[in-house]
């Protein structure tokens, strides 16, 4: 793709992505989910330590159990697929940097999903029940730190809106 065209495509995807909280009753293709994970693992990480680990949840029963652990139960219960994102503590080397890497990985996944026609919602509120989530997913408590749950599905409501302050609000100074 010409550089100019791909520049436009990247901006379209970054600006067009919205958190989607309602999904069509259609299971996304496994191929697409694997592509999303592939986008995640190409995120940068400190020392290239790639500390992220994933759990893909297709099971209705598990989704229902996870839904009980968050006030966003409707999103979790109805999401056609969930991806749990964790840090492998054995792979970690620096708290802040490893969390930043996980954030980059998650954002890559959200953007890739949007490019593939899927809607996502980054769910953090459920972290208050991290140890119960690990119990439900059958993960060893000590080995993994939970970062987020990502809900994924074909978007039902395409009219999601969001706002940002203007750049002026964020710019401390130019020197
Ligand atoms: C760290 C983090 C945690 C979030 N947790 C939740 C959540 O628990 N439930 C939810 O509905 N949205 C959650 N969101 C999504 C935000 O509400 C959303 O990104 C924000 O309102 C901006 O909207 P946009 O994603 O459509 O641009 C979370 C986003 C981030 C980055």
């Amino acid at each position: 793709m010409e550089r100019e065209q791909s520049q436009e495509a990247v901006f379209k995807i970054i600006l067009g992505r919205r958190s989607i909280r309602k999904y069509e009753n259609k299971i996304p293709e496994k191929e697409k989910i694997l592509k999303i994970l592939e986008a995640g693992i190409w995120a940068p990480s400190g020392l290239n330590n790639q500390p992220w680990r994933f759990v893909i949840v297709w099971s209705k029963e598990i989704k229902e159990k996870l839904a009980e652990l968050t006030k966003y139960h409707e999103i979790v219960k109805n999401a056609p697929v969930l991806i749990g994102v964790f840090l492998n503590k054995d792979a970690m080397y620096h708290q802040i940097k490893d969390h930043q890497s996980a954030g980059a990985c998650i954002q890559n996944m959200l953007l890739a999903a949007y490019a593939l026609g899927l809607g996502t919602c980054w769910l953090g509120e459920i972290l208050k029940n991290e140890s119960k989530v690990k119990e439900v997913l059958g993960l060893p408590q000590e080995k993994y730190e939970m970062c987020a749950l990502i809900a994924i599905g074909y978007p039902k409501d395409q009219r999601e809106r969001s706002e940002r302050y203007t750049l002026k609000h964020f710019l401390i100074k130019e020197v």
Side-chain angles (χ1 to χ4, degrees):
M1 207 192 297
E2 293 295 322
R3 182 168 273 271
E4 230 170 75
Q5 268 179 309
S6 63
Q7 234 181 64
E8 215 174 285
V10 167
F11 273 86
K12 243 183 161 166
I13 285 168
I14 291 172
L15 299 183
R17 180 213 58 83
R18 291 279 68 78
S19 293
I20 300 296
R21 299 180 172 88
K22 289 192 177 134
Y23 313 96
E24 295 288 350
N25 191 13
K26 175 186 172 190
I27 308 291
E29 300 78 353
K30 184 161 182 185
E31 252 171 45
K32 287 196 177 180
I33 299 302
L34 296 180
K35 250 184 151 166
I36 291 168
L37 293 175
E38 186 73 16
I41 69 177
W42 276 95
S45 59
L47 302 177
N48 197 17
N49 70 336
Q50 305 164 62
W52 37 69
R53 301 292 183 269
F54 313 107
V55 175
I56 308 174
V57 181
W58 304 93
S59 152
K60 188 171 185 294
E61 191 190 327
I62 305 253
K63 283 186 244 171
E64 279 168 7
K65 284 189 183 157
L66 293 174
E68 286 167 24
L69 304 177
T70 168
K71 71 177 180 188
Y72 297 102
H73 41 86
E74 288 300 309
I75 304 177
V76 172
K77 191 170 62 133
N78 297 320
V81 188
L82 297 165
I83 295 177
V85 182
F86 298 85
L87 285 167
N88 178 351
K89 291 187 190 171
D90 299 334
M92 290 172 76
Y93 81 109
H94 187 286
Q95 281 289 331
I96 294 177
K97 295 181 205 179
D98 289 317
H99 289 111
Q100 289 170 338
S101 302
C105 168
I106 295 167
Q107 178 69 352
N108 265 12
M109 291 198 277
L110 304 191
L111 295 176
Y114 178 62
L116 292 166
L118 290 164
T120 55
C121 191
W122 179 332
L123 299 167
E125 198 266 346
I126 196 168
L127 290 183
K128 68 180 185 198
N129 281 318
E130 173 175 5
S131 70
K132 286 184 185 152
V133 171
K134 286 189 266 189
E135 218 175 279
V136 169
L137 296 177
L139 296 176
Q141 291 291 339
E142 289 314 310
K143 186 163 180 183
Y144 299 105
E145 180 180 338
M146 189 181 182
C147 297
L149 198 59
I150 307 176
I152 308 183
Y154 283 97
K156 192 165 202 174
D157 193 352
Q158 306 265 16
R159 295 161 304 150
E160 294 276 351
R161 295 268 177 277
S162 191
E163 289 181 352
R164 297 295 185 270
Y165 300 115
T166 58
L167 183 54
K168 196 167 157 260
H169 174 84
F170 302 103
L171 191 61
I172 300 171
K173 61 171 152 179
E174 277 187 81
V175 290

